[in-house]
Amino acid sequence: MKKTINLMLLCLTVMASKAQQKTRITGKLINCQDKVLELVPSTGDFKDSILVNADGSFSYETAKITEPFRANLTNRKQIQVQLFLAPGYNLQLNADVKDYQTAKSTLAYTGIGAKTNSYWQEGNGKAKPDTINWNKKDAETYLAHQLSFVNDHTLIDKIFDANNHEPYADYFRQSLLLDKKFGPLIGLFSSYAYVNKLQWAQLQKMVKQLGFKALEKELNNEANLSSSSFSYFVSEYPFYCSEYHAFPADSTQKQKGNYTLYLTAKLFKGNVYDYVASQTLQRNMSSVYKLDDIYKLSPYIEKITDRSLKQKLKDMEADRVKTATGLQAGNVSPVFNLPDTSGTLHHLESFRGKVVYIDLWASWCGPCKQETPFLKKIYDQYKGNDKLQVISIAAFDAKNRKYRYDIIKKDGMDWLQLEDTNDAFAKSYQANFIPRFIIIDKEGRIVDSDAVRPSEPEKLTAILNHEINK
């Protein structure tokens, strides 16, 4: 009993010591164009931002990193520095980041964790084989190319040799070996199979030839989540199953929507399910705006095993429900006070007594412009009716005003054209995707926050006539 208690105390001491260790990243990135860089995970879920001074120097310290993980330090355009990070690491980074090639040649790591991170410097962070030039090769040649990549551990053995005593070196070595193992699957499913129009059975045969005897069992091994290649592949695997018709018996389920989540629940469990499902759920949650669609996500949230992650998703769901409830039919519409092409302001309340049909669009949006000829016909049909107001509101498009005005003139968009200068009206309707059409009744209440498009004129005119005749 005494030994057991002592062992428990030792474990608690080790955990406490680990939690107290800080992770530091300092250095200087010459020619950095941004004041803030993002720390984006490629494994795990820790993320943060790092402030950069005018001269490119920065200093970042946190005690919130409690587990080893892999990340990118990036501004998503100019800078992409790959990192191994862990409690106790004290990394200094220096590079000239005026362009990608210069950054690659000048990047230097020093400090605790530098030996481990030199893998990215020497190997350019290559986690999967180049498949672009191999897409149209025969299967035997293609597989031989992939296997040569899998079996080449030269750089890993060089960096993680007997002299590398840095914390978590063994963890990251295993992570890279898993990259080698799972990297070829990415090219096989996303590229080779697509180009060569493989069927699911052919894909499975090639998977076995790559050494995977029971792929779905390996995909449920949570230890593999330390690999960025595995993490990427497992998050895309439900999509691949859908794309290559892995489960033809599920065709009816596919028509119901949320098929990727359905497959995620079917294929995965435990932490792997949590990882894959949470990514899809967060993506879906940011775009859904109808109550029914939000509630359809609830069963997949309930399957999450990690309590804090489940609560985070539940909080997102509650927030979306609150917003969606306000956009239900019968509620008072969010208002606008927006300028037309001459600068004259128009307030929604000034259209009381009219049914308002709103088109949210942008000059860069192809599907929006495809609706324009149909919307023109609707406008012409009701041109003499003073009970209907057609309005196009440009959203997320303030920088393209001149180009947009040219389109308006060229396409004969003669109805009222407004600009949502700060996108407030579009955001109030949760218009994360456009085109989006909205119908508001004569009293300023919502008829439909995601209305029928002009390209379905019979359905649309039936609704508009019903509202006009009330």
Side-chain angles (χ1 to χ4, degrees), residues 15-35:
M15 289 174 66
S17 173
K18 178 181 175 183
Q20 290 170 0
Q21 285 187 304
K22 293 184 177 181
T23 304
R24 297 190 74 229
I25 314 171
T26 59
K28 191 170 185 177
L29 300 175
I30 301 170
N31 291 313
C32 181
Q33 298 173 356
D34 291 272
K35 295 181 180 179

Side-chain angles (χ1 to χ4, degrees), residues 106-177:
T106 60
L107 177 63
Y109 302 87
T110 54
I112 301 173
K115 169 75 172 175
T116 297
N117 274 277
S118 67
Y119 174 84
W120 303 121
Q121 190 176 10
E122 296 198 32
N124 194 26
K126 192 174 182 182
K128 57 182 183 293
D130 176 20
T131 61
I132 295 174
N133 297 323
W134 295 86
N135 284 339
K136 294 185 179 179
K137 298 290 183 180
D138 62 88
E140 185 178 343
T141 305
Y142 176 82
L143 288 168
H145 172 64
Q146 305 301 298
L147 288 169
S148 68
F149 169 83
V150 172
N151 295 321
D152 182 7
H153 300 165
T154 306
L155 182 60
I156 296 174
D157 291 341
K158 176 185 177 182
I159 301 300
F160 297 89
D161 59 12
N163 296 317
N164 188 343
H165 303 296
E166 289 183 331
Y168 300 99
D170 289 342
Y171 174 91
F172 288 124
R173 180 180 187 278
Q174 183 60 30
S175 167
L176 291 171
L177 290 174

Side-chain angles (χ1 to χ4, degrees), residues 156-284:
I156 296 174
D157 291 341
K158 176 185 177 182
I159 301 300
F160 297 89
D161 59 12
N163 296 317
N164 188 343
H165 303 296
E166 289 183 331
Y168 300 99
D170 289 342
Y171 174 91
F172 288 124
R173 180 180 187 278
Q174 183 60 30
S175 167
L176 291 171
L177 290 174
L178 289 170
D179 278 0
K180 288 279 185 179
K181 179 178 180 178
F182 289 98
L185 292 178
I186 298 172
L188 174 60
F189 279 79
S190 67
S191 183
Y192 185 86
Y194 177 78
V195 170
N196 292 280
K197 298 180 172 59
L198 298 189
Q199 301 298 311
W200 185 252
Q202 294 172 296
L203 254 174
Q204 295 308 296
K205 181 181 178 181
M206 292 186 72
V207 167
K208 288 182 179 179
Q209 290 173 302
L210 285 170
F212 296 92
K213 303 304 180 187
L215 180 58
E216 288 186 10
K217 182 177 180 181
E218 296 211 50
L219 295 185
N220 271 294
N221 183 352
E222 63 184 59
N224 293 333
L225 287 168
S226 66
S227 159
S228 62
S229 289
F230 174 85
S231 298
Y232 176 82
F233 180 75
V234 78
S235 66
E236 294 295 311
Y237 189 64
F239 168 76
Y240 296 142
C241 288
S242 173
E243 195 73 6
Y244 296 110
H245 310 291
F247 305 105
D250 289 342
S251 57
T252 54
Q253 181 64 41
K254 197 170 186 177
Q255 296 168 1
K256 296 178 182 178
N258 291 322
Y259 187 55
T260 300
L261 279 170
Y262 166 81
L263 289 179
T264 300
K266 178 174 183 169
L267 295 164
F268 304 126
K269 59 186 177 182
N271 286 344
V272 177
Y273 172 80
D274 288 1
Y275 176 78
V276 179
S278 63
Q279 291 187 68
T280 306
L281 284 165
Q282 289 181 71
R283 244 187 346 258
N284 290 6

